[in-house]
Amino acid sequence: MSVVSTDLRNVAIVGHNDTGKTTLLEQMLFYANVISRAETVESGKTTSDFTEEEIAHKISIHASLASIPWEGKTLNILDTPGTAGFIGETICGFRSCESAIMVVDARDGAQIETIKLWRHLDARNKPRAVFLNKMDRDRADYIKTLENLKETFKATFVPVAIPIGEGKDYKGIINLIENKAYLLSDNGKEVIADIPEELKAYEDKFRLELIENAAEGADELIEKYFEAGTLDSDEIRRGLREGLDQNRVIPVFCGSASLGSGIITLLNFIRYNFPKPLGKLESVVDEKGNGIPYCIKEEGPVSAVVFKTTLDQFSGKLSFLKVVTGTLTPDCDLYNPEIGKKERPGKLFRVIGKKLIETDSLAAGDIGVMAKSNIAQTNSTLLGNADMKIRFKHLAFPNPIYMLAINAEDKKSEVKMNEALHKIAEEDLTFRTKFNEETKESTVSGMGELHINMILDKIRDKQKIVIHTKLPRVAYRETITKKSGLSEYSHKKQSGGHGQYAKVLIEIAPIQRGEYYLFTNAIKGGSVSKGYIPGIEKGLHEQMEEGFLAGYPMVDIGITLIDGKEHPVDSSEMAFKLAAKGALKAALEKSGVVLLEPIEKLGVYIENEFLGDILSDLSTKRGKVLGQEDMGHLQLVKALVPQSELLNYAIDLKSMTSGTGSFDMEFDHYEPLNGKLADEVIKHYHETMKEVEE
């Protein structure tokens, strides 16, 4: 069954781990009669957590889509993971949805991942609402949690639903727009009732705040409020709808997902007030890479962006896509401009967890699945017309924070391992695998210890192979600290017939950090033919790649070719290449070569009680603290730390913060490494080379 664009709402459910996101979606499906009963995460039978690893670990690992019919509209809801290690899946949700629901535990308020995800939403200017969950649990506190959110995020939070009781006294919610109570019942669904008289004063206080914020949504609503002193329900909805669409207000809901409470109010608000996709801007670039305005619209040729890929053992490759313009049908031609190929989708599907429901079309703004595509990968642009000359911007994923060197026990196992790694990297763009030419190691990297270990355990189990892991070697660099003076080298070889002869005279000097290499040909008088210059440069590059102290590539060296000498018969490009290598080696002897180590920019999110331990630990890691950002009961510590000290930081931080800490990092720059630490790196290199030779 196809859906028209005006009837769509695309919403990502996001939040810290274990706040009840999956259970909330399960209740939405139950209330919409999509499923016959709402299952628990513990049962392993929920609609959105259906993979083997999700059932085993009792956490969401993949973003899961569910299309929900509600009051004549279709709500495309994406349940996303709350664990930092699977942030890539959550970013897929941000890319495909116009709005989000931030689920917050009413006992804990803003937690570390709440803050990090909020910042992702801010960076995209994404409208959002908040659902305060677990109101029935001990320590649940609506007012305290609401104040915590206001203090943490400095935004306009507008209560739309308030609780009737808290903890063991929780009985349901009050819908402030409708002036009705939604009470718990024995059949697992809410019962609508009048607000008890003793709660009227409690409700009036919050409703006044709601009306005041709604009135600011439009000028005529402000006038009406000043004249009449109130707004009716439709006017409140309109004011909130416009405020939410412009990301000026954050509606606040509450309830208990496990008890099925607060669900109807949330579903109705999504249906009537959440942003529609039509008219929303998409991130698009032209042929020159310049950003251009591009709206979701029903008119024009079809265009779509692939935001997620999964490899299903039964259905094969599934490409999750969002239609941006036109209408996508199974028989239309789709063109991928990045690879220059086209195909027809064949079949299109709507999705409810792992269930695929065939549909005859997907309208502009809709989200669905195309099966077994040969041209679609995550980030692919798919166009109905090859002349459109546009491309959707790729998803921006965070840098990996944890890396391991890996190897299989034998050649056959290595082939199996590499095939499996390639498939997983196709699905998960935060997981990367490569062979490091510098360190001669195969490495995998991702968003944390849990992320990497789950992937490797899955491969071990499925492929029945042994995979060994260890911390990887650091990719150091080498550079020089002073001018070399003139250095020359002559390459001579005579073995009958044509010999080999070339002489090269150079001088080297340090250049600005980050410039890598600067070559100047200062030869005058043609002592070396122009045809041999490429050979000289090739020799210089090769020697720089081989390093001098410990086999690491050399950087930031300016090389001036002063003079040289050639032979009319015995000179060749190869001879000059070897002479250049020898001349650079000789120059390096006099240039004060030092090691450079990579420095990472680190951001550590922790609860206040762990601040002292974190700062002390960073000091032992040779870290330079740049500053702290106070976020109420949380702290963000920013520092520059050598990469070699952070190889195990995912495990170290987990230990120091009882698993509550989180961090991100990105490469910042290289710095000289001297003294004992440098000596150890050089010693290890020579010991390794000796073992290889033996």
Side-chain angles (χ1 to χ4, degrees), residues 654-693:
K654 183 178 179 181
S655 174
M656 285 186 288
T657 63
S658 302
T660 62
S662 179
F663 74 102
D664 48 49
M665 67 180 186
E666 61 179 345
F667 171 76
D668 193 74
H669 66 281
Y670 276 94
E671 272 187 13
L673 178 68
N674 296 298
K676 185 179 178 182
L677 291 173
D679 292 341
E680 288 175 0
V681 173
I682 296 167
K683 180 183 176 184
H684 178 72
Y685 166 74
H686 288 293
E687 287 175 351
T688 303
M689 293 303 295
K690 189 175 180 181
E691 288 175 9
V692 171
E693 290 169 4

Side-chain angles (χ1 to χ4, degrees), residues 195-236:
I195 299 170
E197 197 63 38
E198 65 271 19
L199 295 176
K200 284 291 180 68
Y202 167 66
E203 187 252 0
D204 286 345
K205 171 181 171 293
F206 282 101
R207 195 164 198 272
L208 178 61
E209 183 182 343
L210 172 69
I211 292 170
E212 288 174 349
N213 281 287
E216 294 179 8
D219 290 342
E220 56 266 38
L221 291 180
I222 293 176
E223 292 175 13
K224 164 76 185 294
Y225 176 63
F226 282 139
E227 290 172 5
T230 189
L231 299 175
D232 63 31
S233 296
D234 288 339
E235 289 165 335
I236 292 172

Side-chain angles (χ1 to χ4, degrees), residues 484 486-492 502-506 508 535-536 538-544 546-548 559 574-590:
S484 65
L486 296 179
S487 298
E488 71 172 43
Y489 185 84
S490 298
H491 175 71
K492 301 176 184 177
K503 182 179 180 180
V504 171
L505 179 67
I506 64 170
I508 66 175
I536 292 173
K538 190 174 181 182
L540 296 173
H541 278 295
E542 283 188 10
Q543 186 56 49
M544 286 179 67
E546 290 174 11
F548 181 76
I559 305 176
M574 175 61 75
F576 272 100
K577 185 184 88 166
L578 296 172
K581 289 184 72 172
L584 182 52
K585 272 185 183 178
L588 291 171
E589 294 275 4
K590 304 179 286 183

Side-chain angles (χ1 to χ4, degrees), residues 327-334 343-348 359-361:
T327 299
L328 179 60
T329 58
D331 59 354
C332 73
D333 287 329
L334 286 178
E343 71 177 5
R344 289 186 177 179
K347 290 184 178 181
L348 299 172
T359 182
D360 54 11
S361 66

Side-chain angles (χ1 to χ4, degrees), residues 353-503:
K354 64 180 177 182
K355 185 179 180 183
L356 300 179
I357 303 164
E358 192 169 349
T359 182
D360 54 11
S361 66
L362 293 170
D366 208 350
I367 300 172
V369 162
M370 182 169 69
K372 300 177 181 176
S373 171
N374 292 315
I375 67 168
Q377 305 286 345
T378 301
N379 282 325
S380 289
T381 295
L382 302 177
L383 306 173
N385 185 340
D387 297 326
M388 293 172 73
K389 309 299 183 187
I390 63 161
R391 179 176 60 78
F392 292 101
K393 280 188 181 177
H394 287 187
L395 292 161
F397 292 104
N399 293 315
I401 62 171
Y402 187 60
M403 180 185 290
L404 287 174
I406 63 171
N407 67 283
E409 252 189 354
D410 52 58
K411 197 70 177 175
K412 186 177 179 182
S413 296
E414 188 176 332
V415 171
K416 285 184 176 182
M417 178 185 75
N418 289 334
E419 286 177 354
L421 290 173
H422 175 74
K423 287 181 179 179
I424 290 169
E426 186 179 350
E427 288 185 86
D428 182 356
L429 297 193
T430 62
F431 175 73
R432 300 171 193 176
T433 176
K434 71 172 186 176
F435 180 75
N436 191 321
E437 288 288 349
E438 293 175 36
T439 62
K440 307 303 179 190
E441 293 175 323
S442 292
T443 63
V444 292
S445 55
M447 301 313 300
E449 182 193 16
L450 178 64
H451 183 208
I452 295 298
N453 285 345
M454 285 183 67
I455 288 172
L456 295 181
D457 287 345
K458 182 179 178 181
I459 295 173
R460 290 182 181 110
D461 182 55
K462 295 285 185 185
Q463 302 297 329
K464 308 299 181 191
I465 59 174
V466 175
I467 300 175
H468 300 291
T469 63
K470 63 178 181 179
L471 291 178
R473 290 175 62 198
V474 174
Y476 294 99
R477 295 288 184 269
E478 300 180 22
T479 194
I480 59 175
T481 57
K482 60 184 180 180
K483 283 186 176 182
S484 65
L486 296 179
S487 298
E488 71 172 43
Y489 185 84
S490 298
H491 175 71
K492 301 176 184 177
K493 191 172 183 181
Q494 194 71 44
S495 55
H498 286 308
Q500 294 182 30
Y501 180 81
K503 182 179 180 180

Side-chain angles (χ1 to χ4, degrees), residues 297-303 325-327 388:
K297 60 182 181 180
E298 295 173 294
E299 303 79 28
V302 68
S303 64
T325 59
T327 299
M388 293 172 73

Side-chain angles (χ1 to χ4, degrees), residues 32-250:
N33 296 315
V34 176
I35 57 177
S36 59
R37 59 174 286 176
E39 298 286 356
T40 64
V41 171
E42 289 71 29
S43 73
K45 298 177 182 178
T46 59
T47 304
S48 56
D49 285 357
F50 57 82
T51 65
E52 290 179 10
E53 56 264 38
E54 286 174 317
I55 293 169
H57 289 270
K58 303 289 189 291
I59 59 171
S60 296
I61 295 169
H62 308 284
S64 183
L65 177 63
S67 290
I68 303 175
W70 186 258
E71 299 290 322
K73 305 297 181 186
T74 295
L75 318 181
N76 287 323
I77 310 292
L78 216 69
D79 177 25
T80 65
T83 305
F86 310 108
I87 182 63
E89 293 286 320
T90 307
I91 287 173
C92 293
F94 293 154
R95 180 66 182 83
S96 57
C97 297
E98 287 73 43
S99 55
I101 297 169
M102 180 70 74
V103 182
V104 175
D105 192 320
R107 301 167 297 179
D108 301 315
Q111 296 169 273
I112 288 172
E113 292 308 313
T114 315
I115 292 171
K116 291 170 68 178
L117 292 167
W118 197 276
R119 292 184 173 196
H120 278 290
L121 291 170
D122 280 347
R124 294 162 173 80
N125 196 29
K126 191 82 68 178
R128 73 214 69 163
V130 167
F131 186 84
L132 301 185
N133 195 20
K134 305 189 180 183
M135 289 304 311
D136 59 316
R137 305 290 179 86
D138 289 342
R139 295 193 301 106
D141 191 323
Y142 183 88
I143 300 295
K144 183 179 177 182
T145 303
L146 186 58
E147 288 305 313
N148 167 259
L149 294 176
K150 290 178 179 178
E151 179 188 346
T152 304
F153 299 117
K154 308 294 189 276
T156 304
F157 290 87
V158 183
V160 175
I162 56 175
I164 302 174
E166 295 172 338
K168 65 184 180 203
D169 297 323
Y170 179 73
K171 295 179 176 63
I173 67 155
I174 293 174
N175 182 318
L176 297 172
I177 298 176
E178 299 172 3
N179 258 336
K180 290 289 183 181
Y182 284 74
L183 304 176
L184 297 172
S185 71
D186 294 334
N187 69 357
K189 289 191 175 182
E190 298 170 289
V191 174
I192 303 175
D194 291 330
I195 299 170
E197 197 63 38
E198 65 271 19
L199 295 176
K200 284 291 180 68
Y202 167 66
E203 187 252 0
D204 286 345
K205 171 181 171 293
F206 282 101
R207 195 164 198 272
L208 178 61
E209 183 182 343
L210 172 69
I211 292 170
E212 288 174 349
N213 281 287
E216 294 179 8
D219 290 342
E220 56 266 38
L221 291 180
I222 293 176
E223 292 175 13
K224 164 76 185 294
Y225 176 63
F226 282 139
E227 290 172 5
T230 189
L231 299 175
D232 63 31
S233 296
D234 288 339
E235 289 165 335
I236 292 172
R237 288 192 185 96
R238 180 191 165 191
L240 292 178
R241 181 163 55 248
E242 294 185 14
L244 176 62
D245 190 62
Q246 296 165 23
N247 198 21
R248 288 188 290 103
V249 300
I250 297 159

